[in-house]
Amino acid sequence: MRKLVYTFGVSLDGYINDRDGSIDWTTPDDELHQFHNDRFRELEISLHGRRLYELMAEYWPHVSEDAPPVERDFAKLWTTKPKVVFSRTLTEVHWNSTLVSDNAVEEVRALKAGGDGVMEVGGATLAADLLPHGLIDEYHVFVSPILLGGGTPMFPPLDKHIPLRLAETRQFSTAVLLRYIAD
């Protein structure tokens, strides 16, 4: 069975974007960017919610040739990596992406059962749909040293506790990785 990892950058006060929807405060240094590239390279499939897909599609397919090598590398990775985009409003997706319009929970269950590699989920709304069903196996939280005071919370209100076990911490100059495994 595939492992599903929820990966996202978050402010110290728990927001994935600010009140305007911006993530410009999450700019990684080269070491962290390379870490993300290496991590992304190992994924079989990347699951995106609509907003994350639109954000990524707006930037990564259009990275210029004079961009830093680490950015050009991620642009190539992102455009070629198989992606499943969950959206009820999009009518088409590109860059090696498949669109799923309904029943994200059942689709993710089928994807998990369809292999033995690693998938990641990006997008707080999509992850919130999967959380109550126990579909997320690991949480990779990259905490940035900033307080936003509002925005989209990384986690939704929950009906019950989800016990986690801390498996790793790693410090970068622009964020701290906290890796948790679901018990």
Side-chain angles (χ1 to χ4, degrees):
M1 179 161 298
R2 286 185 176 114
K3 175 171 59 172
L4 182 59
V5 177
Y6 178 25
T7 303
F8 229 104
V10 63
S11 65
L12 184 59
D13 54 349
Y15 297 101
I16 62 161
N17 57 30
D18 66 19
R19 291 176 187 182
D20 297 323
S22 175
I23 61 167
D24 62 359
W25 48 271
T26 63
T27 304
D29 63 6
D30 286 344
E31 178 190 20
L32 180 54
H33 208 307
Q34 186 62 55
F35 180 84
H36 282 300
N37 288 12
D38 295 342
R39 179 191 57 74
F40 199 79
R41 191 175 278 107
E42 300 301 318
L43 298 174
E44 268 190 271
I45 304 168
S46 184
L47 311 179
H48 287 47
R50 179 193 53 84
R51 283 183 290 249
L52 177 64
Y53 173 78
E54 288 177 331
L55 183 69
M56 300 293 272
E58 181 180 303
Y59 184 76
W60 291 111
H62 313 290
V63 169
S64 69
E65 286 300 314
D66 62 346
V70 71
E71 288 188 27
R72 291 193 318 266
D73 181 37
F74 188 79
K76 183 177 179 185
L77 289 167
W78 188 84
T79 55
T80 59
K81 180 68 62 182
K83 292 171 285 302
V84 178
V85 180
F86 295 86
S87 172
R88 291 180 184 90
T89 58
L90 291 177
T91 57
E92 65 180 4
V93 291
H94 305 282
W95 302 290
N96 204 18
S97 302
T98 301
L99 180 62
V100 174
S101 298
D102 47 43
N103 209 333
V105 170
E106 289 308 312
E107 182 68 23
V108 171
R109 279 192 179 119
L111 287 168
K112 284 186 70 151
D116 60 0
V118 178
M119 302 185 304
E120 79 166 355
V121 57
T125 303
L126 177 57
D129 289 344
L130 305 177
L131 271 167
H133 301 281
L135 294 171
I136 299 174
D137 303 297
E138 288 192 18
Y139 299 80
H140 297 189
V141 182
F142 292 85
V143 182
S144 292
I146 188 169
L147 298 172
L148 298 176
T152 303
M154 180 163 186
F155 296 105
L158 298 170
D159 292 334
K160 64 179 184 173
H161 295 179
I162 298 176
L164 305 173
R165 179 175 43 87
L166 181 63
E168 177 184 5
T169 61
R170 182 167 175 183
Q171 183 174 339
F172 299 91
S173 65
T174 55
V176 172
L177 163 63
L178 302 172
R179 184 171 70 91
Y180 292 95
I181 298 174
D183 282 341

